[in-house]
Amino acid sequence: MHVLEGPRAEHPSPDRLHLDERLPLPLALGWACSGAIGRAREMARTSEAEPIESVHEYRKALHRVRAVVRLVQPLVGKRCTRRCLRELHDALAGTAGFRDDDVLLQTLEKLQENGQLSKACAEARRCLLAEARPRGAPRLELVLRHGLQAISPIPERLSAELPSRLRRAEVREAVAASYRRLRAARRRADELREDEALHAFRKRVKEIRYQLELLGGATGRWATLAEELGGLTDLMLLRRWARGHRKALPKTEYRALVRELDRRIARGVDEVIEGSERRFRRKATPFVRRALRRRDQSPNGTAALRSLGGNPAHGRG
């Protein structure tokens, strides 16, 4: 069994995944998860002073852990993966209400820039604030700490389940499998153009972004795509909320709000799907070769390759 012991560097950027190149890969992956959980723990401590920022950063940290779990899924097996994903899902679900309230208010503020919607947005804001959950800091911190307690075994569990020796080819195939899931999610989003499919597409984009972050690949375009999809899913969240509060909103304002949301969502879906089509033409193997070549050519590329299980000149892959 692997144990998270041995030389460890301080995480240079606590809001990023970091692979400690001095450790064997199974330990390094567990340590990367530990760093993200440490970030979430820091957010729990600051939740009294900065509740909104703390919830958002806490969720980002857990999404990073989930990205690592999804990456190693072919290497640790479905049983371990499902257990970790279930624990992460429950921890994230506990914060969803706090996050949604803020997203709804922010999205309404952006819509109010359209003068014709000012009354509709004001009515929706009034209704939302009337039912918004109280943000008592002790309650929020309790929710965050409860989630942390549930996911704290994940780093040790992953390190224990991973093979003690990993070839570069295995790591590359794990990244390829993640990219295939992403391509399939995009195809489904293109075919259905529905909220659930687009939300799943966004999740897969965030996963590949964080996985490349972990492995030292370029993440800029994936961060941009995730942000674009995030804006869309925020609009979808507001539309779903408005439809659920149809009777609480004045009829004229309700219709104006939903009509504008429908228009913006349809236009946004077309732009994101069509705008991303070119980047998904590349299949998994050339994508991985290109993505990891960027890492190989970085100043620390040689050490990174060793951490991935082999000598740059002699490793397989």
Side-chain angles (χ1 to χ4, degrees), residues 230-281:
L232 264 178
T233 54
D234 290 349
L235 291 171
M236 293 172 181
L237 178 66
L238 180 57
R239 182 174 64 181
R240 186 163 60 250
W241 177 89
R243 287 173 174 170
H245 292 76
R246 181 171 186 168
K247 294 182 179 180
L249 296 170
K251 183 181 295 186
T252 301
E253 280 67 42
Y254 167 80
R255 289 177 175 173
L257 178 60
V258 172
R259 184 166 52 247
E260 179 63 15
L261 288 169
D262 286 342
R263 186 186 70 81
R264 293 193 182 206
I265 290 168
R267 183 182 65 187
V269 169
D270 288 341
E271 290 175 353
V272 168
I273 294 295
E274 293 172 8
S276 65
E277 190 273 335
R278 185 174 180 179
R279 76 178 60 178
F280 286 98
R281 290 177 185 171

Side-chain angles (χ1 to χ4, degrees), residues 53-203:
E53 182 70 14
S54 296
V55 168
H56 283 276
E57 291 301 316
Y58 178 96
R59 289 176 61 85
K60 285 181 184 179
L62 267 59
H63 288 151
R64 283 181 161 91
V65 177
R66 185 173 65 185
V68 178
V69 172
R70 296 281 289 182
L71 175 66
V72 302
Q73 177 177 334
L75 305 171
V76 300
K78 291 184 178 180
R79 182 176 180 181
C80 177
T81 302
R82 286 172 180 167
R83 182 178 180 184
C84 294
L85 292 177
R86 183 173 63 251
E87 292 165 348
L88 284 162
H89 175 271
D90 292 344
L92 286 164
T95 66
F98 294 97
R99 182 261 182 194
D100 288 354
D101 288 348
D102 292 313
V103 167
L104 289 169
L105 288 170
Q106 291 174 19
T107 307
L108 280 172
E109 287 179 7
K110 293 176 183 177
L111 283 175
Q112 275 190 306
E113 296 173 1
N114 181 340
Q116 296 179 344
L117 283 179
S118 58
K119 187 174 181 181
C121 290
E123 288 290 342
R125 179 182 175 83
R126 175 192 58 76
C127 183
L128 178 61
L129 290 175
E131 66 174 16
R133 66 195 66 229
R135 282 179 177 72
R139 181 186 175 188
L140 174 57
E141 184 174 359
L142 182 64
V143 169
L144 301 187
R145 291 193 179 281
H146 179 74
L148 285 168
Q149 185 177 6
I151 67 172
S152 60
I154 289 178
E156 193 87 31
R157 188 183 304 141
L158 290 183
S159 292
E161 292 291 334
L162 283 163
S164 58
R165 285 289 298 172
L166 292 176
R167 296 177 295 119
R168 279 193 294 150
E170 292 176 290
V171 178
R172 290 175 183 273
E173 180 52 35
V175 179
S178 185
Y179 180 68
R180 291 187 193 101
R181 288 194 297 269
L182 170 57
R183 291 186 81 205
R186 184 197 172 276
R187 284 196 300 271
R188 182 172 176 79
D190 188 11
E191 292 168 0
L192 299 180
R193 306 293 178 106
E194 295 176 352
D195 294 14
E196 185 177 349
L198 285 154
H199 180 65
F201 178 33
R202 183 194 179 204
K203 287 171 65 175

Side-chain angles (χ1 to χ4, degrees), residues 14-27:
D15 60 346
R16 291 179 61 86
L17 284 170
H18 174 65
L19 197 69
D20 190 336
E21 297 168 358
R22 301 174 302 170
L23 297 175
L25 184 57
L27 297 182

